[in-house]
């Protein structure tokens, strides 16, 4: 099985693309983004939401997050998709774009994938297996752990 390569050069997701996921949440009161994914693909986090936080995704539905919801002040995104990856494979890249307020804390855990940050000044915690982290943050509290990448 061919393991796809990941890149963050395919953002922002074009308005002309057919979205697999397009969900909006009130930005007011939202102060944390929690992501837990086995195979995350490409995740781009923009800290630009004012009235509405948004999650957009393009890719095969069996590999995209099965849970995206706001619980209190946290936006939760989870994908337990490693078994599905081995069973069904992957023909196209997973691309997920999240727009949250600038002060949002970020807590990301993943097995494999690419994470790109664009702004923000909330605390950043990243714990990953194999992957790449790029972009920028204005946070003074950044903790990153990757096993390889």
């Amino acid at each position: 099985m061919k393991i796809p390569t990941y890149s963050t050069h395919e953002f922002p997701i074009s308005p002309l693309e057919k979205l697999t996921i397009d969900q909006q949440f009130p930005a007011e009161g939202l102060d944390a983004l929690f992501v837990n994914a086995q195979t995350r693909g490409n995740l781009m986090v923009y800290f630009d939401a004012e009235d509405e936080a948004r999650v957009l995704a393009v890719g095969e539905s069996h590999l995209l997050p099965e849970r995206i919801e706001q619980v209190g002040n946290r936006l939760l995104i989870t994908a337990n998709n490693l078994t599905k990856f081995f069973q069904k494979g992957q023909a196209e890249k997973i691309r997920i774009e999240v727009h949250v307020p600038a002060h949002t804390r970020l807590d990301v855990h993943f097995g494999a994938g690419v994470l790109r940050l664009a702004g923000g000044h909330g605390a950043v915690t990243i714990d990953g297996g194999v992957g790449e982290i790029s972009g920028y943050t204005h946070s003074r509290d950044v903790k990153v752990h990757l096993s390889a990448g």
Side-chain angles (χ1 to χ4, degrees):
M1 174 181 305
K2 181 183 177 198
I3 301 211
T5 57
Y6 296 105
S7 170
T8 57
H9 301 289
E10 298 163 335
F11 290 98
I13 294 174
S14 165
L16 302 176
E17 291 184 80
K18 183 179 179 206
L19 295 171
T20 311
I21 294 173
D22 184 359
Q23 294 186 13
Q24 294 90 28
F25 303 89
E28 185 176 345
L30 185 67
D31 67 10
L33 171 61
F34 177 80
V35 179
N36 188 4
Q38 292 170 328
T39 302
R40 187 177 29 77
N42 300 302
L43 173 63
M44 180 74 177
V45 181
Y46 294 97
F47 295 86
D48 62 354
E50 293 182 12
D51 298 326
E52 181 177 87
R54 191 169 182 197
V55 179
L56 308 167
V58 176
E60 296 159 283
S61 59
H62 69 278
L63 295 175
L64 292 174
E66 62 266 351
R67 180 181 182 201
I68 302 172
E69 67 179 306
Q70 186 171 353
V71 177
N73 64 345
R74 296 187 331 154
L75 180 58
L76 307 174
I77 301 175
T78 60
N80 296 313
N81 55 8
L82 189 59
T83 301
K84 294 174 191 172
F85 172 79
F86 286 119
Q87 289 173 341
K88 297 181 179 184
Q90 182 175 356
E92 59 185 276
K93 291 180 181 180
I94 301 167
R95 292 184 295 137
I96 303 168
E97 185 175 305
V98 180
H99 297 264
V100 293
H103 62 273
T104 304
R105 291 185 326 269
L106 183 63
D107 189 3
V108 178
H109 304 267
F110 64 93
V114 171
L115 172 64
R116 184 170 176 130
L117 304 178
H121 51 79
V124 174
T125 301
I126 301 168
D127 184 24
V130 177
E132 173 187 325
I133 301 167
S134 62
Y136 67 96
T137 181
H138 303 290
S139 176
R140 293 178 182 216
D141 183 7
V142 178
K143 298 175 184 88
V144 177
H145 174 264
L146 282 179
S147 297

